Amino acid sequence: MESAVDPPFQKTYKTIFFKNEDEVESINKKSSLVVVEECELPLIDLSRLSPNNDSKTIADCKRDIAEASKEWGFFQVVNHGISREILERMHDEQVKLFRKPFNKKAKDKVSNFSPDSYRWGTPSATSLKQFSWSEAFHIPLTDISSASVGEPSSLRLTIEEFATTVSNLAQGMADILAENLGHSTTFFAENCLPNTCYLRLNRYPPCPISSEVFGLMPHTDSDFLTILYQDQLRSKLKGSSKLNRWSRARTVRSGRRLDRKPVQSTIEVISPFKIGDNGSNSSSVGEYDDDGSEITATAVAGAKEIYMVSDGTGWTAEHSVNAALGQFEHCLVDRNCSVNTHLFSGIDDEEHLVKIIKQAAKEGAMLMYTLADHSMAESAKKACMLWGVPSSDILSPITEAIAAHIGVSPSGLPRGAPGRKLPLGEEYFRRIEAIEFTIKQDDGALPQNLHNADIVLVGVSRTGKTPLSIYLSQKGYKVANVPIVMGVNLPKTLFEIDPEKVFGLTINPLVLQTIRRARAKSLGFSNDMKSTYSEMDHVRKELEVAAKIYALNPVWPVIEVTGKAIEETAAVVLRLYHDKKQKCLMPRISKRY
C-alpha cells in the first residue's frame, strides 16, 4: 500500500502494472546485464589544481581528469571545496521536502518555483520497462534566484547556496574538459545558455513489485557533465543493496552493471561522452536520491540526429528547425529525446546531396532541406525514399503556395546564384549606415548622438546590450547602448531624447553572476576585480540600481532577457518599437518585396 507521502504509482498506472503479469515475472527472474563484482572508480584530489602548486602537479591533475572521462565516463573527487555543512543542510531540506504529503507536493508551489517543477512517474510509459518509479523536483537554475520574493525560506536559501557552490565546481570541471577538447577553457561558459541549467531533486520510493525494478529507468544519458553528491553514511539506497544510482546510469553506457565501494565524503563527476567527442550545448541538472544530491551540465550525446541541407546559407532551414524544436522543450529538458542538428549549406550539386543522404541513412538521421531548384528538391525526396531516410521539404510547400497565390512561377534559384540579380539598393546602404552608427555608439560612447538613434538600450554589464545592438543594426536600425554602472551618472541626453525609443534590459541575478564569472576569467581579472564584478551581493545591488532607474522612467519598457536568444529579445524590442511608433497593436508591414 502506497503511503500518503508517495505518489499513487499503482493506482494511476494500474493498466501498466496489471495488464501483463508475464512481464513482471520476467523482470523478477532475469537481467540482461553482466554483473561485475566490484570496480573501484578513479579518485582525483582536486587540491592539486591549487594555484599554489607547481605547473606539473596542476597539469597532471588535469590529465587525470581527462583520462578518467575518456576511459570511465565518471570518477570521484575529493577536496572539491564544497563544505560539509552545506551538503548536510541540503540533504536535510530535501528530506523534509519529500516527506510532505503527495497532494501538497503536487498542488502547492514550492518556494515560488515553477508550478510544473514537481514530476512523478512516466506519463508516456506503455510498459514496465519504460516506467520510472520516482518523484522529482526539476528546477531551472534561473528559477532559483528569481524565486526570492517574500520572506525567504530555509529551503530556498539552502538551494540557492547549494546551486551556486556546486555550479562553480561544475564550471571548473567544464573548463578542464573544454581545454582537452581543443577549445578555450571558457568555451562552455560562453556558449551554453544559462537557462538550460537545472537542479533536479529525485526521490526513489520503495517499489513493492520487485527488487529488480529500479527508480531510475534505463535511458541514454545526454549530459555533458554531472556533479553528484551521494551521502553514503545516511542510509542504504532502496531497491538494490549492491548498486547505487549512477552505477545504473553507467550500465546504459557500458552494457555492464558496476558494483563498487564508495569513498566517503566524495563527489562524483560524470562525463558521458569521451574526450575527443564534440559536445555542443550545455545545461545543468541536480538530482536528489533519498541520500544524495546532484547538479548536471549537459551536452547532447547519443541523441537523435537531424540533418539540415540548403543550397544557400542554411538560415531558413536552421531557424525553421530550431523553431520546431522549441515545441519539444519539455522533452529535451528532461533528456528523454535529445537532438543533435547538423547544417550542410551551399549544397548545389546532386552528387554531394546524395552523399549526405547516405550518411544520414547510416546514422539514422532525419533530413530537413531547403532547395530552391525543383529538380534538386525532387532528387532529395527520391533519395530519402530510396534509403529510408525520414525527410521534410521546408521550402517547396511555401514557394508553391505563394506561386499559386500571385500567379507567377518561382525562379528556382537560391540567393547568391549567378543568374539572380541582387541590386545594392537604398535598403542595403541604410543597413551599412546603421551598422557603422551602432558600432560607434557602443557601451555609452558619444552620448551626444543619442538623439540620432532609432533605439537606445539601457542595462547593467553583460545583459547582452552589444550583441543585441549589432543584431538590430543589421536589420537597418541605428542603435545606441548605455551601461548602468553603480556610482556613475547616466548621460543627461538619455533623459532628453524621446523616451519611447529607450528600452531597459534586466536579467536573473544568478544567471548574470555565472556570465560575469566566465567573462572575468576570460579577461584575467584579479581577485579584487572579480569580487566587485561577479560576486552575488554586487550583482544584486547593480540590478537594484537599474530597477530604481527604470521605475523613475515608466515609459521605458523593461525586457527580461534571461533565457532568451538575441533573436527573441530583438523581436520583443521591434514589436514594442513599432507598436509605439504606429500607435496601434497591429504590427506594421516590415518590408515590401
Side-chain angles (χ1 to χ4, degrees):
M1 173 104 29
E2 292 164 328
S3 72
V5 170
D6 297 338
F9 296 111
Q10 289 175 285
K11 180 179 179 181
T12 305
Y13 297 97
K14 58 184 177 182
T15 56
I16 294 178
F17 291 106
F18 301 111
K19 74 176 181 180
N20 192 340
E21 295 181 1
D22 292 338
E23 182 183 2
V24 175
E25 186 66 22
S26 66
I27 291 175
N28 286 336
K29 289 184 176 180
K30 66 180 182 179
S31 171
S32 61
L33 302 175
V34 178
V35 177
V36 178
E37 287 302 321
E38 185 173 297
C39 292
E40 294 288 349
L41 290 181
L43 179 63
I44 298 175
D45 184 352
L46 295 187
S47 66
R48 292 189 292 157
L49 294 174
S50 170
N52 296 327
N53 291 325
D54 58 80
S55 58
K56 184 178 182 305
T57 300
I58 296 174
D60 287 346
C61 185
K62 291 182 178 180
R63 185 199 64 231
D64 291 346
I65 291 171
E67 289 180 354
S69 297
K70 180 178 180 180
E71 296 175 10
W72 281 81
F74 59 107
F75 52 90
Q76 298 177 101
V77 294
V78 292
N79 295 318
H80 38 69
I82 301 174
S83 71
R84 182 74 184 178
E85 185 266 339
I86 181 58
L87 294 173
E88 289 181 345
R89 279 199 288 119
M90 187 72 246
H91 171 273
D92 294 341
E93 290 295 338
Q94 291 172 101
V95 170
K96 288 190 290 184
L97 175 62
F98 280 109
R99 283 179 180 169
K100 290 182 177 182
F102 167 73
N103 288 335
K104 189 172 181 64
K105 288 181 287 190
K107 295 179 180 178
D108 292 357
K109 256 181 114 175
V110 178
S111 288
N112 291 313
F113 297 136
S114 300
D116 61 347
S117 62
Y118 180 69
R119 305 167 186 189
W120 61 281
T122 310
S124 60
T126 57
S127 69
L128 286 178
K129 292 179 180 179
Q130 301 170 355
F131 189 76
S132 179
W133 193 281
S134 66
E135 59 176 333
F137 285 91
H138 191 83
I139 309 168
L141 292 194
T142 51
D143 273 9
I144 292 174
S145 188
S146 61
S148 55
V149 294
E151 290 298 320
S153 67
S154 60
L155 171 64
R156 194 181 69 224
L157 293 174
T158 301
I159 284 180
E160 183 172 343
E161 184 178 352
F162 176 80
T164 300
T165 55
V166 182
S167 292
N168 291 339
L169 173 61
Q171 188 60 62
M173 294 293 99
D175 292 349
I176 292 171
L177 294 175
E179 185 178 358
N180 278 277
L181 285 169
H183 298 290
S184 68
T185 56
T186 59
F187 175 80
F188 290 110
E190 293 173 350
N191 290 278
C192 300
L193 293 176
N195 68 313
T196 57
C197 300
Y198 301 86
L199 174 70
R200 188 174 178 96
L201 314 178
N202 279 4
R203 174 176 174 261
Y204 301 92
C207 178
I209 295 177
S210 169
S211 62
E212 294 298 321
V213 177
F214 300 124
L216 183 66
M217 69 177 180
H219 65 286
T220 298
D221 198 338
S222 62
D223 295 355
F224 156 57
L225 185 68
T226 299
I227 303 296
L228 167 69
Y229 170 65
Q230 182 74 42
D231 185 348
Q232 302 292 342
L233 300 178
R234 296 276 179 175
S235 63
K236 294 182 179 179
L237 289 175
K238 309 295 190 300
S240 171
S241 61
K242 292 183 178 180
L243 304 178
N244 74 21
R245 200 66 57 196
W246 279 103
S247 292
R248 284 175 234 142
R250 177 64 181 178
T251 294
V252 179
R253 293 189 283 274
S254 66
R256 300 181 304 165
R257 183 176 290 168
L258 299 179
D259 301 334
R260 46 118 177 136
K261 294 178 181 178
V263 178
Q264 294 180 359
S265 300
T266 62
I267 281 181
E268 291 171 24
V269 179
I270 299 98
S271 177
F273 74 91
K274 295 180 179 179
I275 294 298
D277 294 347
N278 289 320
S280 60
N281 77 349
S282 166
S283 68
S284 64
V285 158
E287 182 168 312
Y288 163 68
D289 183 42
D290 281 331
D291 307 297
S293 311
E294 161 217 353
I295 279 196
T296 309
T298 75
V300 178
K304 296 287 186 181
E305 308 294 324
I306 296 179
Y307 282 18
M308 301 173 290
V309 177
S310 170
D311 51 13
T313 63
W315 189 97
T316 302
E318 189 172 26
H319 283 72
S320 297
V321 169
N322 286 338
L325 286 174
Q327 297 300 310
F328 302 93
E329 286 179 348
H330 60 287
C331 174
L332 298 174
V333 164
D334 283 341
R335 279 169 278 289
N336 293 325
C337 55
S338 300
V339 171
N340 284 333
T341 59
H342 308 273
L343 176 63
F344 300 87
S345 59
I347 308 302
D348 55 5
D349 65 89
E350 290 190 10
E351 183 180 357
H352 198 176
L353 175 64
V354 168
K355 286 181 180 179
I356 294 170
I357 294 173
K358 285 183 177 179
Q359 182 63 32
K362 289 179 182 178
E363 294 193 8
M366 180 182 189
L367 189 81
M368 313 292 285
Y369 55 94
T370 53
L371 300 168
D373 187 330
H374 181 71
S375 64
M376 282 282 287
E378 279 298 307
S379 296
K381 182 178 179 180
K382 291 178 181 178
C384 286
M385 291 177 65
L386 178 64
W387 282 293
V389 176
S391 64
S392 179
D393 185 345
I394 298 172
L395 190 61
S396 292
I398 302 173
T399 305
E400 291 168 4
I402 293 174
H405 182 65
I406 65 177
V408 178
S409 298
S411 68
L413 298 174
R415 287 182 181 270
R420 187 169 176 177
K421 295 181 181 180
L422 294 172
L424 301 181
E426 180 182 344
E427 182 192 346
Y428 172 82
F429 291 106
R430 180 168 63 85
R431 286 195 292 118
I432 295 299
E433 182 182 357
I435 292 171
E436 290 176 345
F437 175 90
T438 300
I439 292 173
K440 291 178 182 178
Q441 296 295 136
D442 186 37
D443 204 28
L446 305 176
Q448 65 273 21
N449 291 337
L450 288 179
H451 64 280
N452 292 324
D454 298 314
I455 295 170
V456 178
L457 304 176
V458 182
V460 301
S461 173
R462 314 314 299 173
T463 49
K465 298 186 299 299
T466 296
L468 179 58
S469 298
I470 297 298
Y471 182 86
L472 289 169
S473 71
Q474 292 173 348
K475 291 181 173 291
Y477 299 91
K478 294 180 179 179
V479 185
N481 71 78
V482 180
I484 295 176
V485 182
M486 282 197 302
V488 178
N489 292 329
L490 291 170
K492 292 182 179 179
T493 48
L494 178 63
F495 304 101
E496 296 171 354
I497 61 175
D498 181 1
E500 293 199 341
K501 65 181 182 180
V502 183
F503 296 82
L505 305 180
T506 189
I507 190 172
N508 177 280
L510 188 61
V511 174
L512 181 58
Q513 182 192 34
T514 302
I515 296 171
R516 285 190 175 185
R517 281 183 172 171
R519 179 66 171 171
K521 186 172 183 178
S522 66
L523 295 177
F525 282 8
S526 65
N527 290 333
D528 289 342
M529 291 181 70
K530 286 181 182 178
S531 64
T532 58
Y533 179 70
S534 59
E535 290 306 309
M536 183 55 76
D537 287 344
H538 183 80
V539 168
R540 288 187 186 280
K541 287 178 182 177
E542 275 205 343
L543 290 173
E544 288 171 2
V545 169
K548 291 177 181 177
I549 293 172
Y550 299 152
L552 293 173
N553 296 273
V555 178
W556 300 356
V558 179
I559 301 171
E560 169 66 63
V561 302
T562 305
K564 287 189 176 72
I566 295 299
E567 296 88 346
E568 292 176 293
T569 307
V572 175
V573 170
L574 293 180
R575 178 173 59 79
L576 294 172
Y577 174 78
H578 289 298
D579 284 351
K580 289 181 176 184
K581 198 169 183 179
Q582 301 299 319
K583 300 297 182 186
C584 68
L585 296 178
M586 181 67 69
R588 71 164 191 164
I589 298 174
S590 58
K591 185 176 181 181
R592 295 186 185 276
Y593 287 86

